[in-house]
Amino acid sequence: MLHLAERMERIVHELQGLIYQERKPIPGIQFKPGRFESPAEVDADPGTWQSWEAGQRWGGRNVHGWFRFDVTVDEALAGRPVVVLIATGERGWDAMNPQGLLFVNGEAWQGLDVNHREVLLSSAGQSGTSYRLDVQAYGGMVGPLTSFHAETAVVDRSVEALYYDLAVPLKAASLLPDDDSRRLDTLEVLNEAVNQLDLRDHGSEAFRDSVQRTTQFVEQKFYGLHCGPNDIRATSVGHTHIDVAWLWTLAQTREKTARSFSTVLRLMEQYPEFQFCQSQPKTFEDLKIHYPEVYERVKKMVKR
């Protein structure tokens, strides 16, 4: 079964690379050094904006900066899920990496880090619509300089759905013993599924038909027959553990709170069934003082 697992991993990895299409680097990125809490604050600062070129480096331990750029939906993106993909120069362990809080048209939108690189601007982009994006950027807790890269893309939802339908059970199977019947059954069904994929021409009608056919097969033959109620049921509620006083400064705790809470709010808007629990009063106090608009959105979500 080892060869089946390796084959599946290669195919799943290939599908992952096909989720984003029409990828284009974003031109006209500007940068201003310094720590600011909002677009209004950075606008009020007399410092000079610098043009950001590909390959430039910035940052360092506990260094802040501000990135700004505009995105306009063109015909190639219209009518499709429009995203911005942002790489913050990740390195090492998550907690030490560069991070950022993204603002879209002045609104705190979501956090950016190694685990949050995709920014959904519109589920169906309208040609000619423009967005102003600002990033409150933090250089991380490690000394070396870092990079910053942003590009637009559209999401192929059918490929994305199939990717997760295959990747999740494949990951679950990898955690089971080699001779576990559930692992063997999972790999066999997934292998049957990907046998129906036509990966010769990713832009062809044959590929798209095979994605739909494979998705239906997985739904019926794996999720329909092998999944369902068991002796154990799990109910999951989202949570983020925020160390208020740890290796970073209290100021960084406040920024992490804004990043985490704005990300959760965005997810709860996209997925109404998602529930989230947070029990640290200090984080709410910091949010109320330093990011009041995010705090008001939290209150509305609690009420909902």
Side-chain angles (χ1 to χ4, degrees):
M1 282 294 175
L2 183 59
H3 69 284
L4 285 185
E6 293 175 345
R7 176 175 186 253
M8 284 299 308
E9 288 172 0
R10 289 196 298 270
I11 293 174
V12 166
H13 180 73
E14 185 173 353
L15 282 174
Q16 185 180 27
L18 300 175
I19 292 175
Y20 300 118
Q21 302 175 2
E22 306 288 346
R23 297 178 71 153
K24 296 179 182 178
I26 295 174
I29 298 176
Q30 294 182 299
F31 174 76
K32 182 183 286 190
R35 183 181 183 277
F36 310 97
E37 288 192 348
S38 68
E41 188 175 327
V42 76
D43 286 337
D45 178 77
T48 303
W49 287 97
Q50 307 168 11
S51 295
W52 184 262
E53 305 296 336
Q56 276 187 254
R57 311 285 287 176
W58 80 283
R61 180 178 172 84
N62 290 331
V63 173
H64 286 79
W66 196 276
F67 291 91
R68 171 173 288 176
F69 51 93
D70 296 313
V71 172
T72 300
V73 178
D74 60 24
E75 287 297 331
L77 308 180
R80 304 160 75 183
V82 178
V83 299
V84 172
L85 305 175
I86 298 178
T88 55
E90 301 87 358
R91 56 184 182 270
W93 183 36
D94 293 8
M96 305 293 179
N97 278 323
Q99 301 179 28
L101 174 60
L102 175 75
F103 295 80
V104 176
N105 295 336
E107 178 185 351
W109 199 257
Q110 71 171 67
L112 298 171
D113 54 46
V114 66
N115 296 312
H116 303 90
R117 299 177 177 178
E118 177 190 301
V119 179
L120 178 64
L121 291 182
S122 173
S123 57
Q126 295 185 353
S127 181
T129 302
S130 294
Y131 301 88
R132 164 63 55 86
L133 279 72
D134 288 275
V135 178
Q136 177 200 62
Y138 171 65
M141 298 177 62
V142 185
L145 298 181
T146 187
S147 60
F148 182 89
H149 178 76
E151 57 183 335
T152 54
V154 293
V155 181
D156 188 322
R157 293 299 189 197
S158 60
V159 173
E160 181 186 51
L162 179 58
Y163 163 75
Y164 284 110
D165 278 350
L166 297 173
V168 172
L170 181 62
K171 179 63 176 177
S174 72
L175 301 175
L176 296 171
D178 290 346
D179 60 351
D180 190 301
S181 62
R182 295 168 299 176
R183 180 179 189 275
L184 302 176
D185 290 344
T186 297
L187 292 177
E188 285 183 355
V189 176
L190 295 184
N191 184 61
E192 286 185 63
V194 299
N195 282 342
Q196 303 181 56
L197 268 178
D198 186 343
L199 294 169
R200 292 172 296 178
D201 183 357
H202 299 151
S204 68
E205 198 65 34
F207 168 71
R208 304 204 63 79
D209 288 345
S210 74
V211 168
Q212 182 178 4
R213 187 166 58 249
T214 306
T215 300
Q216 293 173 346
F217 182 92
V218 173
E219 290 177 353
Q220 296 171 4
K221 301 297 184 180
F222 178 72
Y223 290 99
L225 296 180
H226 291 272
C227 303
N230 204 330
D231 294 337
I232 299 173
R233 290 173 180 254
T235 300
S236 301
V237 177
H239 173 73
T240 179
H241 173 80
I242 300 175
D243 290 293
V244 174
W246 192 51
L247 300 179
W248 46 63
T249 63
L250 289 173
Q252 188 52 214
T253 299
R254 293 193 290 269
E255 292 179 22
K256 283 181 174 291
T257 298
R259 291 195 289 264
S260 297
F261 283 31
S262 60
T263 298
V264 168
L265 288 166
R266 190 64 48 197
L267 289 171
M268 295 182 80
E269 290 169 2
Q270 293 178 43
Y271 305 97
E273 71 277 15
F274 175 41
Q275 298 186 32
F276 183 80
C277 175
Q278 176 54 256
S279 58
Q280 295 171 280
K282 176 60 177 170
T283 60
F284 289 101
E285 181 182 51
D286 286 343
L287 198 70
K288 182 177 182 179
I289 295 172
H290 297 276
Y291 299 89
E293 74 286 353
V294 180
Y295 180 76
E296 289 302 317
R297 288 162 55 204
V298 168
K299 288 173 60 179
K300 290 179 181 178
M301 196 61 74
V302 170
K303 185 176 182 180
R304 190 190 79 176

